[in-house]
Amino acid sequence: MTEEQIAPIVKELKEALPEADEEELSRELSRYIRFGIVPQEAKKAILRKMGVREPSRTSIGHRSLSELQGNEIGVEVTVKCLSSNQRLQMTQNDERTLSTGLVADETMIRRFVSWEGHALEKAKCYTIKGASVRTFRGELELNLGSYAVVEEAPEGTLSGLDVSKLPRYGALVELSLRDLRTGQGNVSVKGKVLSAEKRQIETEKGAKRIVDGMLADETKRVRFTSWHDFGFEVGDVIAVKGAYVKDWRGIPQLNFDERAEVEKLPEVDFDVMRTPRLAAEELQQSGASDVEVAGTVIEIRDGSGLIFRCPSCNRALAGGNCTVHGPQDGIVDLRTKIIIDDGTGALSAILNTELTEQVLGMSVKECETKFCDSEANLVDHLVKKLLGRDLVLRGNVMKDEFGPNMLPAKLEDDITDPLEEAKKMLSLMEVP
Amino acid sequence: MARNREVAKRVFAIEYNRSAHEDKATEENAPNYVISPLGDPVNRLYFVGVLMSKVNNGSEESPLYRAEVRDPTGTFYLYVGQYQPQPLSVLPTLEPPTLLGVVGKVRTFTKDDGSFYVSIKPEVIFPVDIPQRDRWIVSTSRLTLEKLKALEDAQVMNEPAVGPLMDKGHLRRSAESAVNALSLYGKQDLMQFREAIRGALGLAIEGGGRPLLEAPPPPKGASPRPPDIRDDVLRLIKECSSEKGALYRDIITRCDQKGIDRIRLEETIQELLDEGTIYEPTIGLIKVI
């Protein structure tokens, strides 16, 4: 290989690595060539060694997001970043940063993934070269590998892009209300509108009418926010296509806006008179609004009975002190913390003042008088009244890092007739 | 994310007592599970039954009660000591027979010869009425039947696996239990569990509303009260005895030869210990007084 053949490659290398010494590059290149490596490949190896990322060899050129087929490599796209998250992920050998998020161009929204530290910033536009496309859980996504080069696009790129006109991300999935989970992106549901409250909000684009309410089918009741007034009323059965699910204290909540299709279904009806009853195992997975749980009280937890609350912030005082406001003359309150278990799972529940009064059969005032010297006696009394009792609770089930927690609005004894149930089960068992 | 609180499994005595495997925690603070013959991992359980006996094997100052609670399918064995404050305060005030609800943690014991025994460390005990017992029977029957049906299907499959079982309409947890049971216990005679559920439901139906003691005994097959083997066992112990007493191992061997069921032997020896006919000078040695 002659000096003349090497020179242009060295020049190209020098362009990519302006800091490098030309003679050093030339020596490096000849080392590869001596082993029979062709100059173009040697160049790439050197660039990689020096930490330069080069677009994939097999660039197939610029594509819009909707043109992607899957399994392409070396794609160039121009996109706006809609969301971006970084997290540390354990791999077999070490911890690596995983970046994921959504990007859009004028045609559609797609997900991107990078294990190589490409961090896209929300609301910025980028030109990405050398990306690959793969299919993950049935969806095409952009994979930014080690060959990918991400450059911020010049001002004015994609200036005509209006994300709110694009369809929601992901394939449309039809679900019953109980299967809604926080984070789902494009769902189709049917339900009866139990309540609908219209209100005016101010947005960047002016005043807007939105609707808050409750949607129900036979399986569950779910709070919703409609960011557009579709004109449905309480009592209507509607089909919503293209909604998304957000989290409110561990309870999935349905959201939809003008991108969704909302249709009234006059032919369909749901029996929503009964509050849906769910198994504790299901509520451990995902919280619920206005739900019924039937189980046995298997524990009365510490912190039950008469407590004192801070007059400023309502926090429970510990030894007469509020964690925020210091020593206080507390306001007396009564509550009971229980564990209710139905054999499939366990929930903690906090019975408020009224329900605790109902259980005890006496008011807060009476409790104060009767149990003023001995807090412990009141707790004993609560244990006697509640431990082992079969209850039906109705209310919201929240979920946080300590697990599911119910705030019942209603408490009743379980008076299901076991006799009928036993007969039914026995007769079913006789069927071969 | 904190670990979910361990659910109190509804399990009949017959299922619990036939457990022969456990899943011992290797990490600190991780729970221990007894794996029942239907493949159900049990860490905590809730059951309802009749308090049949309670004996303080400890002292006044540090009591250790052993109690037996009978459900329609068998007997749960409870051990209550100073670390079970609520049960320790309640149990002495109760006289057999009393209908009880018990929430407790599993307790296991493996003998030198590898034989495995389960009992209960109660967390709380409370009085229960007949309708509540019947609700317990119904929900326990339902949950047991879910596991049983999945295992019945798994036992006749060529390659039992969770996916195909779920395709047959079983819940994920039932399918997982079934696969688990099959790998630990192999193929079992499942008729006994079916009969036990039938018997329990029968009790809820026939005994409905009436005080338990007036209720008819559980139907045949559910939990036959076996003929008394007390005298046989006592004779066998005497036969194996040297001056120091009889080795537990030898008693078991002799009883096996005579065809006496291990579990019944255990129960009988415990009865004899309780009434003071025999005593255990050291572990593994039984002596007739």
Side-chain angles (χ1 to χ4, degrees):
Chain A
M1 185 140 307
T2 65
E3 201 56 38
E4 278 148 52
Q5 284 169 299
I6 292 177
I9 313 274
V10 174
K11 210 176 148 214
E12 282 173 39
L13 278 170
K14 178 67 187 167
E15 269 167 34
L17 299 160
E19 311 265 292
D21 176 40
E22 213 160 312
E23 255 177 60
E24 181 64 38
L25 288 173
S26 166
R27 263 201 305 279
E28 186 76 12
L29 190 59
S30 13
R31 232 175 278 159
Y32 281 88
I33 288 167
R34 211 183 309 142
F35 289 118
I37 310 287
V38 294
Q40 277 304 328
E41 260 186 67
K43 181 187 125 191
K44 277 183 184 136
I46 291 166
L47 285 174
R48 257 193 319 238
K49 193 170 165 186
M50 307 299 245
V52 175
R53 286 193 176 121
E54 202 197 14
S56 162
R57 287 155 286 190
T58 51
S59 176
I60 59 165
H62 194 275
R63 292 281 190 277
S64 71
L65 290 178
S66 65
E67 286 171 320
L68 300 177
Q69 310 278 315
N71 300 326
E72 291 115 323
I73 46 174
V75 181
E76 185 181 329
V77 293
T78 305
V79 293
K80 182 174 182 177
C81 175
L82 304 181
S83 67
S84 178
N85 298 296
Q86 272 81 45
R87 65 184 160 93
L88 278 180
Q89 177 83 23
M90 284 301 290
T91 63
Q92 271 179 330
N93 306 313
D94 56 354
E95 271 188 351
R96 288 171 75 183
T97 307
L98 172 64
S99 307
T100 58
L102 296 179
V103 290
D105 64 9
E106 284 101 342
T107 62
M108 71 180 299
I109 302 172
R110 291 225 188 257
R111 202 170 104 99
F112 75 89
V113 176
S114 171
W115 288 95
E116 303 293 334
H118 301 100
L120 273 58
E121 223 174 291
K122 189 177 167 176
K124 285 194 173 162
C125 290
Y126 297 93
T127 302
I128 301 172
K129 290 177 185 159
S132 58
V133 184
R134 58 174 193 172
T135 309
F136 180 69
R137 291 188 184 152
E139 293 282 342
L140 296 192
E141 64 179 28
L142 276 180
N143 186 24
L144 313 186
S146 54
Y147 282 115
V149 177
V150 178
E151 277 165 10
E152 218 173 299
E155 195 104 347
T157 307
L158 295 172
S159 57
L161 175 64
D162 182 357
V163 179
S164 69
K165 294 280 189 291
L166 295 175
R168 298 213 62 84
Y169 170 73
L172 191 68
V173 205
E174 200 167 318
L175 295 172
S176 73
L177 293 181
R178 80 193 288 177
D179 294 322
L180 293 180
R181 294 287 179 275
T182 298
Q184 285 164 340
N186 192 7
V187 299
S188 163
V189 295
K190 291 189 184 99
K192 190 165 188 162
V193 181
L194 292 190
S195 66
E197 199 181 303
K198 296 186 184 180
R199 60 190 168 98
Q200 202 84 7
I201 57 159
E202 293 300 323
T203 69
E204 284 172 22
K205 294 169 192 165
K208 201 174 176 186
R209 223 136 81 108
I210 68 168
V211 190
D212 284 320
M214 182 92 87
L215 199 66
D217 64 10
E218 272 125 4
T219 64
K220 207 170 177 178
R221 297 180 173 180
V222 173
R223 294 211 64 84
F224 71 83
T225 299
S226 171
W227 299 93
H228 175 79
D229 186 358
F230 287 95
F232 55 77
E233 304 289 339
V234 172
D236 287 346
V237 172
I238 56 171
V240 184
K241 281 183 187 164
Y244 53 104
V245 186
K246 288 179 100 169
D247 174 86
W248 184 79
R249 299 191 182 182
I251 306 177
Q253 307 228 314
L254 196 68
N255 279 252
F256 44 99
D257 51 33
E258 49 269 71
R259 281 177 287 171
E261 277 175 49
V262 174
E263 192 191 342
K264 282 189 203 175
L265 304 172
E267 310 291 306
V268 186
D269 201 7
F270 291 105
D271 178 14
V272 293
M273 292 307 288
R274 254 189 72 88
T275 311
R277 180 178 291 188
L278 290 185
E281 61 184 335
E282 203 164 323
L283 293 163
Q284 284 177 337
Q285 305 274 323
S286 186
S289 307
D290 193 18
V291 69
E292 213 174 74
V293 181
T296 305
V297 179
I298 64 165
E299 190 180 324
I300 312 296
R301 295 170 61 204
D302 289 346
S304 296
L306 285 172
I307 54 159
F308 292 88
R309 292 187 181 280
C310 172
S312 323
C313 67
N314 218 27
R315 282 187 177 82
L317 302 180
N321 282 299
C322 170
T323 47
V324 177
H325 300 96
Q328 297 287 330
D329 278 333
I331 299 168
V332 71
D333 194 11
L334 185 63
R335 66 163 181 202
T336 317
K337 291 177 160 186
I338 61 171
I339 302 284
I340 186 155
D341 184 307
D342 70 357
T344 71
L347 305 177
S348 93
I350 301 177
L351 309 183
N352 61 19
T353 313
E354 290 86 71
L355 291 181
T356 305
E357 285 179 336
Q358 178 194 329
V359 165
L360 287 170
M362 59 175 91
S363 68
V364 180
K365 278 261 165 289
E366 287 171 288
C367 282
E368 263 189 290
T369 326
K370 191 163 175 201
F371 298 106
C372 58
D373 346 317
S374 172
E375 178 72 17
N377 284 349
L378 173 59
V379 176
D380 281 351
H381 202 62
L382 275 171
V383 169
K384 223 169 265 156
K385 290 272 187 185
L386 272 174
L387 186 63
R389 204 156 136 189
D390 289 346
L391 293 181
V392 180
L393 301 178
R394 180 179 164 184
N396 295 338
V397 178
M398 267 62 116
K399 230 187 113 210
D400 60 18
E401 69 263 40
F402 301 110
N405 191 11
M406 185 169 200
L407 292 178
K410 207 174 146 202
L411 175 154
E412 278 173 352
D413 280 301
D414 188 351
I415 46 160
T416 337
D417 186 358
L419 189 66
E420 284 312 307
E421 187 72 10
K423 278 182 183 161
K424 209 164 70 194
M425 286 187 65
L426 201 56
S427 70
L428 281 176
M429 282 185 77
E430 302 306 332
V431 179
Chain B
M1 176 67 72
R3 203 192 297 274
N4 267 330
R5 190 191 151 89
E6 285 296 330
V7 53
K9 292 278 170 75
R10 272 54 160 177
V11 178
F12 286 121
I14 184 175
E15 181 182 348
Y16 184 62
N17 287 339
R18 308 236 158 143
S19 302
H21 295 277
E22 64 185 325
D23 190 354
K24 270 223 148 122
T26 44
E27 313 163 42
E28 213 176 327
N29 294 330
N32 289 316
Y33 296 96
V34 163
I35 311 295
S36 83
L38 300 184
D40 200 0
V42 182
N43 168 267
R44 170 181 280 131
L45 61 174
Y46 163 48
F47 56 88
V48 172
V50 185
L51 176 67
M52 301 297 281
S53 73
K54 51 154 188 177
V55 182
N56 184 0
N57 288 331
S59 60
E60 277 290 307
E61 304 82 56
S62 70
L64 179 65
Y65 280 91
R66 182 181 182 283
E68 294 183 14
V69 176
R70 194 164 167 77
D71 83 351
T73 72
T75 304
F76 288 104
Y77 300 92
L78 277 54
Y79 288 88
V80 176
Q82 55 177 321
Y83 297 112
Q84 286 80 42
Q86 194 273 357
L88 191 59
S89 70
V90 176
L91 194 59
T93 67
L94 301 172
E95 281 310 319
T98 304
L99 202 50
L100 277 187
V102 179
V103 178
K105 289 276 197 169
V106 298
R107 183 176 181 272
T108 64
F109 177 64
T110 310
K111 280 229 164 73
D112 290 341
D113 64 0
S115 45
F116 182 75
Y117 300 93
V118 292
S119 55
I120 314 281
K121 259 182 314 201
E123 294 175 309
V124 290
I125 56 184
F126 43 85
V128 157
D129 60 11
I130 299 266
Q132 183 165 358
R133 179 203 61 183
D134 293 347
R135 274 195 299 274
W136 176 80
I137 288 177
V138 166
S139 56
T140 305
S141 297
R142 188 174 50 239
L143 290 161
T144 306
L145 206 54
E146 282 173 4
K147 294 179 279 184
L148 185 60
K149 282 179 173 166
L151 184 53
E152 283 169 345
D153 280 352
Q155 290 206 150
V156 296
M157 282 168 84
N158 286 330
E159 283 171 35
V162 173
L165 283 167
M166 284 173 71
D167 291 343
K168 281 182 165 256
H170 296 291
L171 295 171
R172 172 175 292 278
R173 69 171 137 79
S174 315
E176 283 170 353
S177 293
V179 172
N180 205 7
L182 213 48
S183 74
L184 287 173
Y185 291 88
K187 282 196 181 172
Q188 307 170 70
D189 172 19
L190 298 177
M191 232 16 229
Q192 52 178 336
F193 298 110
R194 218 162 231 283
E195 287 303 320
I197 296 172
R198 254 192 215 130
L201 287 171
L203 178 67
I205 292 167
E206 290 166 40
R210 276 184 280 161
L212 181 77
L213 291 181
E214 290 169 29
K220 216 176 143 219
S223 132
R225 187 74 199 153
D228 203 8
I229 54 164
R230 196 176 160 281
D231 292 341
D232 292 339
V233 171
L234 203 55
R235 202 183 60 245
L236 283 172
I237 295 174
K238 282 181 186 153
E239 280 174 23
C240 323
S241 288
S242 67
E243 222 167 88
K244 283 181 181 162
L247 279 170
Y248 205 94
R249 214 181 316 125
D250 296 343
I251 302 172
I252 289 178
T253 318
R254 286 301 284 272
C255 285
D256 277 352
Q257 288 163 2
K258 296 268 176 190
I260 295 172
D261 179 67
R262 287 255 181 111
I263 293 173
R264 299 224 20 237
L265 171 67
E266 261 296 297
E267 286 175 2
T268 310
I269 286 186
Q270 195 58 55
E271 272 169 34
L272 292 167
L273 282 168
D274 289 348
E275 62 183 49
T277 313
I278 57 173
Y279 72 110
E280 205 166 0
T282 54
I283 288 178
L285 208 61
I286 299 283
K287 206 164 174 192
V288 182
I289 292 172

